Amino acid sequence: MEKKEKLTEGKTKIIWRTDDPNKVIIENKSILTKGDGAVSLVLENKDVYSTETTSNCFLLLNKKGILTHFIKRFDKNSFVAFLLKMIPIEIVIRRIAFGSILKRNPTLKEGTFFEDLIVEFFLKNDPLHDPIMIWNEEKQCFELFDAKKPISSESYLGEISSKNIPLLPKNKEEVEKIFNIAKNVFLILEKAWRMLNVTLVDLKIECGYFPERRDLIVVGDVIDNDSKRIWEKGDKKLMKDKQVFRDLTEITEENKRKILENYAWVANQTKKFLTLPI
């Protein structure tokens, strides 16, 4: 397979066309960002660890029958995937209360365990700071709310639907399909991490459609160490994910070394996924 021209470039990855019009090469960058990209950090080899983690997660999901865009590893920092029309939604699945859900639910205690998984949709929109999306069945649209405030008339930002953005889910059936895919993805990865004595706290995924198959919703993008919160031995003090970077008040060489060690550790742990009796 041959890499052709650049299709698009984001904060943390580049997507390249290939000699096959139905396939792309997704290249990870050695960049960490926070605050909607306001703060960034370059970490050598972070791209390699992100690609390793993503590849192992997708290989496990493929093995378990989840439709994904992942085909194979291309090189140390990129992989081959099917070309998708991406749904502009970040889908977050939560097992433990942490992060922005606490701001929307002030009475909820950090660390609360959800017996039933919580699935939330966030519109990918940096100027609006990725507002949370609530499906309104009567209006057949999503209502947008400030993700950092309790859902109320004061945090209401307006409505949006597939009439405005055609790739958004257009009915309750599509919304529920994405919910079910997200839950299944989480349960598979949660089990794998649990067998390695690691707690999967929450997970962010993205989905898309094959260009000619609106009926097939496929897990796309990446599933790397920026996409989740994981706590070794279930201990928040032993978090191994991007939250360590988010919590930093200053960036030192020692901090950078620790973050990179975490990313390397996660990549090495996910190598075990395909040998686990799941």
Side-chain angles (χ1 to χ4, degrees):
M1 176 164 290
E2 184 180 348
K3 184 187 291 186
K4 296 290 188 178
E5 72 273 15
K6 187 185 299 184
L7 182 62
T8 184
E9 181 172 0
K11 289 177 287 190
T12 59
K13 55 188 173 291
I14 305 172
I15 301 177
W16 300 89
R17 293 188 186 276
T18 70
D19 48 352
D20 185 332
N22 297 312
K23 298 175 182 177
V24 294
I25 291 173
I26 299 179
E27 177 185 339
N28 284 299
K29 297 181 181 180
S30 292
I31 297 176
L32 267 174
T33 67
K34 62 180 178 178
D36 294 328
V39 179
S40 63
L41 173 65
V42 176
L43 285 177
E44 185 179 359
N45 289 326
K46 189 261 185 183
D47 56 338
V48 178
Y49 299 138
S50 291
T51 303
E52 180 71 41
T53 300
T54 286
S55 298
N56 295 330
C57 288
F58 275 128
L59 284 168
L60 175 59
L61 295 176
N62 287 349
K63 177 184 176 182
K64 299 301 291 183
I66 300 292
L67 290 178
T68 81
H69 71 158
F70 181 86
I71 299 174
K72 63 180 181 179
R73 187 88 172 256
F74 182 71
D75 57 22
K76 65 179 184 178
N77 67 347
S78 59
F79 62 94
V80 181
F82 290 110
L83 175 66
L84 298 180
K85 291 184 176 179
M86 295 302 294
I87 302 168
I89 295 175
E90 291 189 345
I91 306 146
V92 177
I93 314 100
R94 303 180 188 275
R95 177 64 81 189
I96 295 174
F98 199 84
S100 67
I101 194 171
L102 301 174
K103 295 179 180 180
R104 292 187 297 280
N105 300 272
T107 60
L108 185 64
K109 292 184 178 180
E110 180 183 299
T112 298
F113 184 89
F114 301 121
E115 292 287 349
D116 296 321
L117 291 171
I118 303 294
V119 179
E120 298 176 313
F121 288 1
F122 298 87
L123 183 67
K124 293 189 67 174
N125 186 304
D126 282 350
L128 290 179
H129 305 291
D130 298 344
I132 191 169
M133 309 166 69
I134 307 295
W135 177 254
N136 186 310
E137 179 63 15
E138 182 179 351
K139 295 181 179 181
Q140 291 289 292
C141 71
F142 287 102
E143 294 182 320
L144 303 180
F145 297 85
D146 188 328
K148 296 180 180 179
K149 299 178 181 178
I151 294 173
S152 68
S153 58
E154 293 182 359
S155 61
Y156 179 70
L157 299 174
E159 299 175 359
I160 197 165
S161 71
S162 58
K163 295 179 181 178
N164 311 106
I165 303 177
L167 289 174
L168 288 179
K170 60 181 183 292
N171 53 45
K172 185 177 181 180
E173 181 182 2
E174 287 193 352
V175 171
E176 290 182 345
K177 187 179 291 186
I178 295 173
F179 263 73
N180 290 331
I181 290 171
K183 287 182 178 180
N184 286 334
V185 167
F186 189 96
L187 290 172
I188 291 167
L189 294 176
E190 179 183 44
K191 185 174 182 180
W193 281 115
R194 185 189 304 123
M195 296 179 77
L196 298 174
N197 199 18
V198 177
T199 297
L200 181 58
V201 175
D202 53 38
L203 174 71
K204 187 271 293 182
I205 65 170
E206 295 185 27
C207 293
Y209 307 98
F210 286 121
E212 305 302 324
R213 291 292 304 272
R214 173 83 187 203
D215 59 312
L216 282 181
I217 299 176
V218 176
V219 182
D221 195 52
V222 298
I223 303 179
D224 60 10
N225 206 29
D226 299 349
S227 309
K228 55 184 173 290
R229 291 186 177 95
I230 53 172
W231 298 346
E232 187 182 7
K233 301 176 183 178
D235 186 346
K236 186 180 76 170
K237 295 177 182 177
L238 299 178
M239 64 175 68
K240 299 291 187 180
D241 52 81
K242 185 180 175 180
Q243 190 63 42
V244 175
F245 172 56
R246 295 189 189 101
D247 290 344
L248 289 180
T249 55
E250 63 175 337
I251 298 173
T252 65
E253 290 302 314
E254 175 61 20
N255 287 336
K256 290 169 64 174
R257 182 190 62 78
K258 180 60 177 176
I259 292 170
L260 198 58
E261 284 181 355
N262 286 341
Y263 277 72
W265 184 89
V266 171
N268 287 326
Q269 290 296 304
T270 60
K271 289 179 182 179
K272 304 174 185 177
F273 278 6
L274 293 181
T275 63
L276 295 172
I278 299 176

